[in-house]
Amino acid sequence: RFVFKLEQQEYKREGINWEFIEFADNQDILDLIDKKHGGILTILDEQCMLGMRCNDRTFVSAVYDKCKSSSDRFQANTKQKAQGK
């Protein structure tokens, strides 16, 4: 969002004909992906260190366990969790 706003300000300074656009703040999604402790990329790193003990289901399970309470946008029903989707 910040980058988009800067770019739009630059267009205005340069006199470029531009219609300003409002952008939703997606910081919560960025945090969900890249948070140092408990983000999806951190969980993937941890799972990779498990070697042969890691598989799709262990990764998905770890993501559900660590991310379900950290973001309102992260949701999965019981069936999805059981199927590892």
Side-chain angles (χ1 to χ4, degrees):
R1 178 176 158 179
F2 179 71
V3 172
F4 293 131
K5 283 188 174 188
L6 289 177
E7 198 64 31
Q8 289 187 116
Q9 289 171 359
E10 182 69 23
Y11 289 172
K12 185 177 179 181
R13 278 194 300 277
E14 293 179 7
I16 297 172
N17 187 15
W18 178 259
E19 186 175 317
F20 284 86
I21 301 169
E22 285 293 320
F23 293 95
D25 185 2
N26 288 329
Q27 187 62 49
D28 60 330
I29 298 299
L30 297 174
D31 292 341
L32 182 65
I33 295 168
D34 198 34
K35 192 167 59 173
K36 291 289 183 198
H37 301 287
I40 293 172
L41 293 178
T42 301
I43 296 166
L44 180 59
D45 285 342
E46 292 169 356
Q47 290 290 304
C48 288
M49 287 186 241
L50 294 175
M52 297 300 291
R53 294 177 290 158
C54 175
N55 58 44
D56 294 348
R57 288 189 185 269
T58 61
F59 171 67
V60 169
S61 178
V63 169
Y64 288 143
D65 291 343
K66 293 183 180 181
C67 295
K68 65 183 173 188
S69 63
S70 65
S71 175
D72 292 336
R73 295 204 218 183
F74 184 84
Q75 299 174 12
N77 63 36
T78 305
K79 183 177 179 180
Q80 290 170 319
K81 290 177 188 176
Q83 293 175 345
K85 294 182 180 180

